[in-house]
Amino acid sequence: MLRSVLFAFLLSLVSATAFANSCPSIMAAIDAAVPTATLSEADMTKVKALRVKGEELHAAGDHAGSEAALNEAKKMLGI
């Protein structure tokens, strides 16, 4: 029984760590797409603001919020 609980706990830590590490890869994808993006000035400003917000949320430990903001920027960029 103790092994099962310990295994479940360790598995949750691994998945949380993997989730937290996806934020930097999304930021990198956004950074790579911005220079060649053909968006209006207003949309580009919004993408950059979402990118900054995503990085700030990631640094604060809010990885779900970070990923939401970053995925919205990705959607606007078409990636």
Side-chain angles (χ1 to χ4, degrees):
M1 177 75 176
L2 181 59
R3 281 190 207 180
S4 297
V5 171
L6 183 59
F7 179 73
F9 176 71
L10 291 174
L11 188 58
S12 70
L13 287 178
V14 169
S15 63
T17 303
F19 182 67
N21 289 333
S22 67
C23 300
S25 64
I26 298 171
M27 287 185 261
I30 292 168
D31 293 344
V34 164
T36 58
T38 55
L39 297 176
S40 69
E41 188 175 330
D43 285 345
M44 186 59 75
T45 299
K46 185 171 181 177
V47 164
K48 290 178 180 180
L50 287 166
R51 165 63 174 82
V52 169
K53 180 180 178 182
E55 187 170 5
E56 290 171 350
L57 290 170
H58 172 74
D62 181 1
H63 300 290
S66 172
E67 195 164 290
L70 294 170
N71 282 330
E72 186 176 343
K74 278 180 61 175
K75 184 177 178 181
M76 291 181 72
L77 289 166
I79 56 173

